């Protein structure tokens, strides 16, 4: 009896590969073990992916689809720095919940190669740092800020995956240090206006999300007007 190749089988093969990778992050995995986990034969796997690298690329692509699906469901606060902060926490949470996908998405490095799907996540981060720069909130360029945040975020997440334990205090400390570095707030006191924006954006439930977003927009506009007047 021949095996019926279905899209469901393809997804199951990807999930099986991700599970095997999660069980031993950084180690190689067997295509035969993937097939055995799904209950299919090797020709079926090659039918869908062509090669082991094809399967790995598919796991990476699916991982980013899941990750970006979660990010798209996040509500914007109206403050780009707070959104970067929330994005950082979501990034770490995704990695800890999906170590198999994550270690391929960000932990398996090939010199000179960057997965095409990775650029989609990077573009979201760059759009936030660009907004922050437009609001006068950055001490570096948007590109530098995005790179700084991404590298630190990946490092913290991989560290916690390796340790097989969440360490929210470590993540928060590195996150706040990174934000201080890109905004320059670690080197000099924040202005009262900037402090007000941070407090409002970090506590959206006090006034309500819609009201908080409107307040942040008003304060940002006020800050821009004050800067241009000076």
């Amino acid at each position: 009896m021949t095996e019926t190749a279905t899209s469901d089988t393809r997804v199951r093969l990807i999930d099986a590969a991700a599970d095997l990778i999660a069980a031993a992050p950084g180690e190689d995995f067997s295509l035969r073990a993937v097939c055995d986990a799904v209950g299919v034969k090797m020709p079926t796997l090659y039918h869908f992916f062509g090669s082991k690298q094809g399967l790995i690329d598919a796991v990476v692509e699916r991982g980013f689809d899941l990750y970006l699906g979660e990010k798209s469901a996040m509500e914007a606060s109206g403050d780009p720095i707070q959104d970067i902060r929330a994005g950082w926490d979501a990034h770490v949470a995704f990695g800890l919940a999906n170590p198999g996908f994550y270690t391929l998405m960000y932990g398996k490095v090939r010199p000179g190669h960057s997965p095409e799907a990775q650029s989609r996540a990077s573009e979201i981060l760059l759009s936030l740092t660009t907004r922050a720069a437009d609001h006068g909130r950055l001490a570096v360029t948007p590109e530098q800020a995005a790179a700084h945040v991404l590298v630190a975020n990946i490092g913290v997440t991989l560290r916690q995956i390796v340790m097989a334990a969440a360490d929210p205090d470590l993540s928060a400390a590195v996150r706040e240090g990174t934000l201080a570095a890109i905004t320059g707030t670690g080197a000099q006191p924040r202005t009262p206006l900037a402090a007000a924006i941070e407090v409002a954006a970090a506590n959206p439930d006090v006034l309500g999300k819609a009201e908080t977003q409107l307040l942040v927009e008003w304060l940002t506009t006020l800050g821009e007007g004050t800067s241009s007047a000076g």
Side-chain angles (χ1 to χ4, degrees):
M1 182 177 179
T2 60
E3 296 170 355
T4 302
T6 65
S7 59
D8 177 65
T9 300
R10 184 179 187 278
V11 171
R12 288 167 57 213
L13 285 165
I14 292 173
D15 288 342
D19 288 343
L20 287 172
I21 295 164
E27 297 183 15
D28 198 9
F29 66 95
S30 163
L31 292 183
R32 187 167 299 281
V34 174
C35 290
D36 288 346
V38 177
V40 299
K41 297 179 181 177
M42 290 288 284
T44 298
L45 186 147
Y46 283 108
H47 165 77
F48 285 115
F49 307 107
S51 64
K52 187 172 188 176
Q53 187 57 52
L55 174 58
I56 291 173
D57 291 343
V59 173
V60 170
E61 183 75 26
R62 178 160 167 75
F64 275 107
D65 285 344
L66 293 172
Y67 173 58
L68 293 173
E70 292 183 4
K71 287 190 75 73
S72 65
M74 296 175 60
E75 293 185 19
S77 69
D79 173 52
I81 300 301
Q82 180 60 20
D83 289 342
I84 292 172
R85 181 179 281 112
W88 174 293
D89 293 341
H91 183 110
V92 174
F94 177 84
L96 291 174
N98 302 276
F101 286 118
Y102 191 89
T103 51
L104 279 184
M105 290 163 62
Y106 288 111
K108 193 174 181 64
V109 178
R110 283 190 288 159
H113 173 74
S114 177
E116 183 178 348
Q118 195 176 95
S119 65
R120 290 183 286 158
S122 297
E123 287 168 4
I124 293 174
L125 177 57
L126 181 58
S127 71
L128 289 175
T129 57
T130 299
R131 281 180 54 212
D134 291 342
H135 293 172
R137 305 283 296 282
L138 293 186
V140 296
T141 67
E143 291 77 14
Q144 287 177 304
H148 198 145
V149 170
L150 183 60
V151 169
N153 208 176
I154 292 171
V156 165
T157 305
L158 288 174
R159 173 64 177 172
Q160 297 195 67
I161 289 174
V162 169
M163 298 302 293
D167 187 344
D169 292 337
L170 171 65
S171 180
V174 178
R175 181 194 67 211
E176 295 309 309
T178 300
L179 291 176
I182 67 173
T183 60
T185 55
Q188 58 188 18
R190 291 181 299 176
T191 66
L193 192 60
I197 291 173
E198 288 286 338
V199 171
N203 299 275
D205 294 332
V206 175
L207 298 177
K209 292 182 179 179
E211 291 80 1
T212 298
Q213 183 169 350
L214 183 58
L215 175 60
V216 168
E217 290 174 356
W218 282 347
L219 291 173
T220 300
T221 300
L222 178 60
E224 292 171 348
T226 303
S227 298
S228 60

